[in-house]
Amino acid sequence: PENEIRLEEECFKLFKNKPLQKTFLTGVRPTTPDRRPFLGQSSDQPGLFILNGLGTKGLSLAPYLSKVLIQWMDFGIMPPPEIVASRFLKGS
């Protein structure tokens, strides 16, 4: 609330009116403990692949990782080990 009031005051100084938006939505950014994305395949659902954990680098990494995922799905070319989801499994 205190920050909201301050924001409103600063907007009034800058624009000579109150801001139009007073509510804000937030979301959770998908990331991993080591801050690297991961690709994985479900052991329960054959053909179900996962690409997640891109965090703040989603826009820049998505094209490359999408290509890596397609190569895995279509041609069986495994992704680099540093982005394979199984790195989080004990004993891997």
Side-chain angles (χ1 to χ4, degrees), residues 3-81:
N3 288 340
E4 218 173 281
I5 293 168
R6 187 163 175 237
L7 177 63
E8 197 170 304
E9 290 169 356
E10 293 300 318
C11 285
F12 186 77
K13 286 180 196 175
L14 285 172
F15 306 112
K16 305 298 182 224
N17 59 14
K18 289 189 176 189
L20 298 176
Q21 181 177 1
K22 290 183 97 176
T23 58
F24 301 91
L25 300 175
T26 60
V28 177
R29 185 171 279 156
T31 190
T32 60
D34 61 4
R35 303 243 187 242
R36 289 185 293 172
F38 66 87
L39 293 169
Q41 184 174 15
S42 172
S43 57
D44 297 336
Q45 299 286 323
L48 176 64
F49 290 81
I50 301 164
L51 166 56
N52 205 336
L54 280 67
T56 61
K57 305 228 183 325
L59 187 63
S60 61
L61 290 177
Y64 166 72
L65 292 174
S66 297
K67 182 177 179 181
V68 171
L69 179 60
I70 290 169
Q71 289 176 336
W72 186 15
M73 293 169 68
D74 288 350
F75 306 110
I77 301 169
M78 289 298 294

